[in-house]
Amino acid sequence: MATGRTHRPATRSRGIPEATVARLPLYLRALTALSERSVPTVSSEELAAAAGVNSAKLRKDFSYLGSYGTRGVGYDVEYLVYQISRELGLTQDWPVVIVGIGNLGAALANYGGFASRGFRVAALIDADPAMAGKPVAGIPVQHTDELEKIIQDDGVSIGVIATPAGAAQQVCDRLVAAGVTSILNFAPTVLSVPDGVDVRKVDLSIELQILAFHEQRKAGEEAAATAAVPRTARQDVATDQGPDGDVPAVMPT
Amino acid sequence: MATGRTHRPATRSRGIPEATVARLPLYLRALTALSERSVPTVSSEELAAAAGVNSAKLRKDFSYLGSYGTRGVGYDVEYLVYQISRELGLTQDWPVVIVGIGNLGAALANYGGFASRGFRVAALIDADPAMAGKPVAGIPVQHTDELEKIIQDDGVSIGVIATPAGAAQQVCDRLVAAGVTSILNFAPTVLSVPDGVDVRKVDLSIELQILAFHEQRKAGEEAAATAAVPRTARQDVATDQGPDGDVPAVMPT
DNA sequence: TTGTGTGAACTTGTTCACAGCA
DNA sequence: TGCTGTGAACAAGTTCACACAA
């Protein structure tokens, strides 16, 4: 991995495990739902159930953030929402650009979970001149020519690539050159980026292939021992992504 | 985890690690590209670079499948493609239904990476009667009422949920009741399923939040030690998903 | 008494480094 | 000689189980 390992000023211990970071958004979602129902307090058991993890893991995760619970009682919902949001950096505004406004890009632009979590779609960018000016999700699409200007003017540091695979690396290079340092890649390619730039990839086809693997195994087991004992349900979140060089991408066309 | 741990008849040792399974699709993609360029052989080093992992990991991964390489030479591309495909269960045909044909569902339906990897979109299903009959990606959308019939007639075992969060659990229940045993969930909800059913989740908002976390840290580091050494690039694939109960979902509406 | 917080045991995954085959 | 295959060391992540605070 190799991380700059510089100490941070006013924050917690340091070094929240990646696996924990990947689960914080889960907890946050569950907590937000509780908050909307005006539930004041949750136990690790309840929250874990709502988030789909087991309670020991959840408590361990929270212990990395600090001691935000009350023994014998549980966690204060509002307080936890705030602490997790802060830890994830969601108390600030993150302008995001989406490049490639096909079906997927449009789906992303329409996704409601953004605004509520500190993300703001600063611009939609597409290479097709015919798209320029057309509003998607209420935001006019801009042409790729404007990319650099948009990034710089809005101080965008997070870019989403939803272009076809062939265009992804080029778009990536331009985003990075313009100042973007975090990229969420939906194109089925391995992007190469300079040091200091984070890339996360979402790949539909990979997820399906993993399902197929397990599905196949189920069939095999059934054949071997008819009417076998079904294993416990596994519900996985596509979310780890080891912090070294992984790769492939996802989905659209 | 708790897995049925039944021995399989004609296959390899058993127990390919989950982490390895999650990477096989990566290797497969890289190999397919090489195959298309008629490259006969690759070394672990080259293939690893193309897949975005390091070569030791790749060799270890392959060692779980068997000894498919030749010392001093490398791996036969075609042969490996076949072995991995077989291991992932992609040598058979997997009919898939997509439920919820909004922007995201349409994006999925249009995704080209399916057919080439053993997946076949057997049906598109939407609750909106106005959608019924409308072709998306050349496939006519069918109404939710047909769901059970479609699953049974086509022997569908994999379902993709791309509905709004509110409808996801209900759709999930119907899919499972009709015989689906693997679900790819794009809705931002924790699905509960009976034992024996696999759920994988893709959640855009989670990925963005993870990026925001690292982005925030970068900013902090810069502040602490101006012009600090940039850490090595990290490129992560959203793909692990621990096999116990994880949760949240992704994207549309 | 209840439920958090956490050391310690354990499991899974990654990296090293090198023996051994082509 | 070159590159695979893999045991052994290491690191990360998970679960256990219980002390202790409210």
Side-chain angles (χ1 to χ4, degrees):
Chain A
M1 169 174 307
T3 308
R5 212 58 20 191
T6 328
H7 61 108
R8 284 280 270 347
T11 327
R12 282 290 144 200
S13 28
R14 203 64 340 242
I16 295 163
E18 267 301 311
T20 296
V21 171
R23 280 188 297 265
L24 291 180
L26 293 187
Y27 303 142
L28 186 55
R29 166 136 47 221
L31 285 164
T32 304
L34 292 171
S35 169
E36 276 160 11
R37 294 197 286 123
S38 303
V39 177
T41 298
V42 253
S43 67
S44 62
E45 202 70 56
E46 294 163 333
L47 184 54
V53 302
N54 76 319
S55 62
K57 199 187 280 184
L58 178 143
R59 286 201 303 280
K60 185 60 122 187
D61 284 341
F62 286 178
S63 78
Y64 294 117
L65 308 181
S67 290
Y68 295 149
T70 308
R71 293 176 193 228
V73 179
Y75 300 91
D76 182 277
V77 172
E78 296 301 331
Y79 186 58
L80 246 196
V81 165
Y82 171 72
Q83 291 300 343
I84 294 178
S85 296
R86 191 178 51 80
E87 197 64 56
L88 284 171
L90 305 180
T91 50
Q92 61 188 279
D93 175 73
W94 292 105
V96 168
V97 297
I98 301 174
V99 185
I101 314 302
N103 277 313
L104 178 64
L108 300 178
N110 278 300
Y111 178 51
F114 280 154
S116 56
R117 287 191 176 72
F119 300 101
R120 176 172 54 83
V121 179
L124 305 179
I125 301 176
D126 199 279
D128 181 359
M131 292 286 291
K134 246 185 65 179
V136 171
I139 302 165
V141 174
Q142 294 178 268
H143 189 264
T144 317
D145 291 348
E146 313 291 328
L147 192 147
E148 285 77 10
K149 183 171 175 355
I150 296 165
I151 305 283
Q152 275 143 28
D153 288 1
D154 276 322
V156 173
S157 54
I158 301 180
V160 177
I161 298 180
T163 65
Q169 181 64 58
Q170 195 189 332
V171 166
C172 173
D173 292 345
R174 289 181 63 183
L175 288 172
V176 170
V180 163
T181 47
S182 287
I183 290 177
L184 181 53
N185 180 27
F186 285 86
T189 337
V190 175
L191 295 178
S192 58
V193 292
D195 280 9
V197 176
D198 278 2
V199 177
R200 289 190 73 84
K201 173 181 276 320
V202 179
D203 193 320
L204 165 78
S205 140
I206 285 180
E207 298 304 322
L208 274 183
Q209 289 173 58
I210 296 171
L211 282 177
F213 174 84
H214 293 300
E215 193 61 37
Q216 173 185 235
R217 178 153 306 189
K218 284 180 208 168
E221 274 174 19
E222 258 159 54
T226 322
V229 188
R231 73 212 66 45
T232 76
R234 54 170 75 100
Q235 179 149 356
D236 310 319
V237 178
T239 288
D240 87 285
Q241 318 214 328
D244 70 298
D246 289 33
V247 179
V250 167
M251 95 180 13
T253 205
Chain B
M1 173 176 299
T3 307
R5 211 62 14 193
T6 327
H7 62 108
R8 284 282 268 347
T11 327
R12 280 289 144 201
S13 28
R14 202 66 339 245
I16 296 163
E18 267 301 310
T20 295
V21 171
R23 280 188 296 265
L24 292 181
L26 293 187
Y27 302 141
L28 187 54
R29 167 139 43 226
L31 285 164
T32 304
L34 291 172
S35 168
E36 276 160 12
R37 294 196 287 123
S38 303
V39 177
T41 297
V42 253
S43 67
S44 62
E45 203 70 57
E46 294 163 334
L47 184 55
V53 303
N54 76 319
S55 63
K57 198 188 280 182
L58 178 143
R59 286 201 304 278
K60 184 60 120 186
D61 284 342
F62 286 177
S63 79
Y64 294 118
L65 308 181
S67 291
Y68 295 149
T70 307
R71 293 173 194 230
V73 179
Y75 301 90
D76 181 277
V77 172
E78 296 302 330
Y79 186 58
L80 246 195
V81 165
Y82 171 73
Q83 290 300 343
I84 295 180
S85 296
R86 193 178 51 80
E87 196 65 56
L88 285 171
L90 304 180
T91 50
Q92 61 189 280
D93 174 74
W94 293 105
V96 169
V97 297
I98 302 174
V99 186
I101 314 301
N103 277 313
L104 178 64
L108 300 178
N110 279 300
Y111 179 51
F114 280 155
S116 56
R117 287 191 178 71
F119 301 101
R120 176 170 55 83
V121 179
L124 305 179
I125 301 177
D126 199 279
D128 181 359
M131 292 285 291
K134 245 185 66 179
V136 170
I139 302 166
V141 175
Q142 294 178 268
H143 190 264
T144 317
D145 292 347
E146 314 290 329
L147 192 147
E148 284 77 10
K149 184 173 175 357
I150 295 166
I151 305 282
Q152 276 144 27
D153 288 2
D154 276 322
V156 174
S157 54
I158 302 180
V160 177
I161 298 180
T163 65
Q169 181 63 59
Q170 195 190 330
V171 166
C172 173
D173 292 345
R174 288 182 64 182
L175 288 172
V176 170
V180 164
T181 47
S182 287
I183 291 177
L184 181 53
N185 180 27
F186 285 87
T189 337
V190 175
L191 294 178
S192 56
V193 292
D195 280 9
V197 176
D198 278 2
V199 177
R200 290 190 72 85
K201 174 181 277 320
V202 178
D203 193 322
L204 166 79
S205 141
I206 285 180
E207 297 305 321
L208 274 183
Q209 288 173 59
I210 297 171
L211 282 178
F213 173 84
H214 293 299
E215 193 62 36
Q216 172 186 236
R217 178 154 307 188
K218 284 180 209 169
E221 275 174 17
E222 257 158 55
T226 322
V229 188
R231 73 215 68 43
T232 77
R234 53 171 75 99
Q235 179 150 352
D236 309 321
V237 178
T239 288
D240 89 286
Q241 316 212 330
D244 70 298
D246 289 34
V247 181
V250 166
M251 90 181 16
T253 206

